[in-house]
Amino acid sequence: TLASLPAQVRFIIKPSRWLQVPAALFAGILNSVPVKLLLLLFVVLIWKRRHLYRQLVATGDPVGKPAADSIMYTIRALGLTLLLALPWPLLMMTLGWALVSGPDVSAFSEQLSPALLILAPTFFYIQFFSVLCRSGGVADRHFCWPGKLPKLLRREFSLLKITLLPAVFILLLAANDDEGMSLAGVERYSMVAALLIIALFFYRLSRLLMQQSISAKMHQRYLWLILTIAEPLLLAVAAFLGYFYTAGMLGGGVLQTLWIVFGLVILHQLVVRWLLLTQRRLALQAARERLKTAAEGKDAADVEMEGVPVQIEEPEIDLVALSEDTRKLLSLMLVIVGFFGFWYVWADILPAFSVLHEVTLWHKPGIVAGEEALVPVSLANVAIAVLIAILTIIAMKRLPPLLEILLLQRVNMTPGGRYTAKTLYTYAIVGIGMVAFFNVVGMDWSRVQWLFAALSVGIGFGLQEIVANFISGLIILFERPIRVGDVVTIGETEGAVSRIQIRATTIR
């Protein structure tokens, strides 16, 4: 392979083949209106580049000012970042399209075109994250990443751009070549080079984040460092040993996974910024209401002296705890989104897990081809049911705080009303989760109706008070004769209502 490598390199850079490219590009541009429009868009973006960058920097001016700050400035900054990152990847894609748009397409143009078209998205992703970390950009002004982290990340992405893109381009060009000469050596060593570059990028990125104390715990830092570097290194060894297709498929998946992770980081930072702005706005509103109440305190005291009781103020929401719960929920949501993203990327190599469908545990009645029959419940169904149960438990704990902060921002409700909505929402999550769980494992209504019939007899004799309390809890939540924060007297005991649940009400 090494002996044949020089001849293969000479064939790739053969001047007679590359001299065909200008004529093919010119013919493709003249022959295709979409290519002309894309080139015009490229020229406009290059012409307006400085103006777009000035607008990007200007979006960071209101950040940190409570009266003027808004999440829309960050969204607009991300849009400007997309436009600033677009020109050169757009030109690469346009040239790849133009090569096959002419009347007479040469064999080399048909090989060069897919290489450019496939490489353009990777080029765009690197450009986007590089522009994101520019001075005065989104990472610097809007996300407020610490210290020199944006500058250092921009340097890493610039290094990745000038090293990875040429290696992948040579790899794609050699893989698409079908002019009779085998380019297996160029393919293999360009694949090894690309995977080593990715491993080096992971190493430098992990070290950079560790130095900036981004990771939480030391043992987790080194674990992620080993995991991120080991996979591309192992794939590079596999490519060197001749497992070219395997290394290519898994290496492409690693690269796509990297872009998904960076996209999730941006989404996380965007939502965290929205939460901080919302929390700041709610705290400012609460402070204004306290000042207004203090100003009217004297008048309220005079009214109370006249025999008219002042309405007891309901307890305020804990903004700090709410934000912490919502942050945990956000992390969970990102994990779920990332799971589906990773599933999409790695779907081609997941059929091996179909073996779980072949392990039948029991059967359930169902409809097959319009007729009643026994449908097998496999190990895969049980795994899905367990996943539904876990997601239901997590949603039951994490979704109500998000609902509460949305109600605080969008709806004018009292704390008691928000508590009622949050409680009922929790019961709805549990009910939907239970129905989905039992449906997956085959315990539908026809299988458990006898159980409810037996329970109804027991309820009629021994569980009357529990059922009465259950119905009473629903009545209290809906009609709200008492609310959280009300002071009540029961016999000789007086206390404040601290929690209303479906079976019991807690008074302190």
Side-chain angles (χ1 to χ4, degrees):
T1 303
L2 287 174
S4 62
L5 191 61
Q8 296 177 21
V9 173
R10 286 194 300 269
F11 180 77
I12 288 179
I13 63 175
K14 190 176 180 180
S16 61
R17 305 200 319 158
W18 289 94
L19 290 176
Q20 303 172 12
V21 173
L25 287 175
F26 185 72
I29 293 172
L30 292 179
N31 194 58
S32 176
V33 175
V35 170
K36 295 177 183 177
L37 294 177
L38 291 175
L39 286 177
L40 179 61
L41 178 60
F42 166 75
V43 173
V44 171
L45 290 175
I46 292 296
W47 178 40
K48 292 290 186 178
R49 189 174 182 84
R50 292 186 179 180
H51 176 68
L52 292 174
Y53 180 66
R54 286 195 297 268
Q55 285 189 325
L56 174 62
V57 175
T59 58
D61 294 337
V63 175
K65 301 176 181 178
D69 201 356
S70 171
I71 191 64
M72 295 307 299
Y73 290 112
T74 304
I75 295 176
R76 187 167 182 265
L78 288 173
L80 293 170
T81 303
L82 287 171
L83 293 177
L84 286 169
L86 185 59
W88 296 109
L90 177 64
L91 178 63
M92 179 181 290
M93 185 190 71
T94 305
L95 295 180
W97 195 358
L99 284 171
V100 292
S101 298
D104 298 321
V105 181
S106 64
F108 183 64
S109 296
E110 291 182 346
Q111 299 161 13
L112 183 59
S113 174
L116 294 175
L117 293 175
I118 295 173
L119 189 62
T122 302
F123 189 12
F124 173 74
Y125 297 145
I126 298 177
Q127 280 284 91
F128 174 78
F129 293 115
S130 181
V131 175
L132 188 83
C133 298
R134 287 188 66 168
S135 176
V138 176
D140 182 22
R141 300 291 297 275
H142 294 263
F143 295 161
C144 300
W145 287 359
K148 297 181 178 179
L149 180 61
K151 181 179 179 181
L152 296 175
L153 286 175
R154 177 174 170 80
R155 184 185 66 184
E156 295 301 327
F157 281 113
S158 299
L159 182 62
L160 182 67
K161 178 170 55 179
I162 63 177
T163 54
L164 180 63
L165 293 181
V168 176
F169 175 73
I170 295 173
L171 169 63
L172 294 172
L173 187 61
N176 292 322
D177 196 299
D178 56 357
E179 293 188 19
M181 182 174 182
S182 174
L183 300 178
V186 175
E187 291 182 48
R188 179 180 299 187
Y189 291 113
S190 58
M191 172 76 75
V192 172
L195 290 169
L196 291 178
I197 290 170
I198 294 174
L200 180 62
F201 173 74
F202 282 156
Y203 172 75
R204 294 175 62 89
L205 184 65
S206 300
R207 296 289 297 178
L208 175 60
L209 296 180
M210 289 169 62
Q211 292 172 2
Q212 297 293 327
S213 299
I214 301 299
S215 303
K217 299 179 181 179
M218 185 62 67
H219 67 277
Q220 293 180 355
R221 298 179 186 180
Y222 288 107
L223 176 63
W224 284 110
L225 177 62
I226 294 173
L227 290 178
T228 53
I229 296 175
E231 185 170 3
L233 287 179
L234 290 174
L235 292 178
V237 173
F240 182 79
L241 296 177
Y243 296 95
F244 178 79
Y245 182 78
T246 300
M249 290 292 294
L250 298 182
V254 169
L255 202 56
Q256 293 180 44
T257 303
L258 176 65
W259 307 138
I260 290 177
V261 170
F262 283 137
L264 291 175
V265 170
I266 294 175
L267 179 61
H268 175 270
Q269 293 294 298
L270 183 64
V271 179
V272 165
R273 173 161 159 72
W274 172 73
L275 289 173
L276 291 175
L277 289 175
T278 303
Q279 182 179 359
R280 184 185 303 170
R281 190 179 301 111
L282 293 174
L284 184 61
Q285 181 181 355
R288 289 173 179 173
E289 290 178 355
R290 284 195 298 268
L291 290 175
K292 183 179 178 180
T293 303
E296 297 175 352
K298 183 177 180 181
D299 297 334
D302 294 339
V303 173
E304 187 177 12
M305 292 292 293
E306 295 174 2
V308 180
V310 179
Q311 185 178 0
I312 297 175
E313 191 173 323
E314 297 189 26
E316 297 181 0
I317 190 96
D318 188 353
L319 292 174
V320 177
L322 183 64
S323 176
E324 182 64 24
D325 287 338
T326 310
R327 285 173 184 269
K328 293 179 180 178
L329 172 64
L330 172 61
S331 300
L332 170 65
M333 293 177 64
L334 291 178
V335 169
I336 295 174
V337 173
F339 172 78
F340 286 107
F342 299 154
W343 185 284
Y344 173 77
V345 170
W346 299 100
D348 291 338
I349 62 172
L350 292 179
F353 291 98
S354 63
V355 68
L356 298 178
H357 290 283
E358 301 176 5
V359 182
T360 301
L361 301 179
W362 62 81
H363 292 79
K364 66 176 181 178
I367 305 297
V368 179
E371 298 180 355
E372 292 188 1
L374 291 178
V375 179
V377 177
S378 64
L379 188 59
N381 296 120
V382 175
I384 294 174
V386 172
L387 179 62
I388 290 175
I390 294 174
L391 292 178
T392 300
I393 294 173
I394 296 175
M396 179 182 65
K397 295 181 179 180
R398 301 304 180 192
L399 285 180
L402 179 61
L403 174 66
E404 191 167 4
I405 197 171
L406 291 176
L407 292 176
L408 275 170
Q409 186 177 13
R410 299 296 181 185
V411 183
N412 187 16
M413 294 179 65
T414 61
R418 292 193 299 269
Y419 183 87
T420 300
K422 185 175 69 171
T423 304
L424 295 176
Y425 185 65
T426 303
Y427 297 151
I429 292 175
V430 174
I432 294 173
M434 290 180 64
V435 171
F437 176 86
F438 288 120
N439 186 55
V440 170
V441 299
M443 296 179 63
D444 52 13
W445 175 250
S446 62
R447 301 288 295 274
V448 298
Q449 58 184 353
W450 61 270
L451 178 62
F452 283 94
L455 285 177
S456 63
V457 178
I459 288 173
F461 287 101
L463 304 179
Q464 296 181 21
E465 286 194 31
I466 294 179
V467 175
N469 290 336
F470 183 85
I471 302 301
S472 299
L474 291 177
I475 293 174
I476 291 175
L477 286 172
F478 277 104
E479 295 189 358
R480 300 176 62 202
I482 60 172
R483 298 173 296 179
V484 174
D486 286 352
V487 176
V488 298
T489 302
I490 303 175
E492 297 180 354
T493 302
E494 185 178 279
V497 178
S498 61
R499 182 165 45 171
I500 299 175
Q501 292 180 306
I502 202 167
R503 193 189 63 82
T505 298
T506 304
I507 296 174
R508 185 182 300 277

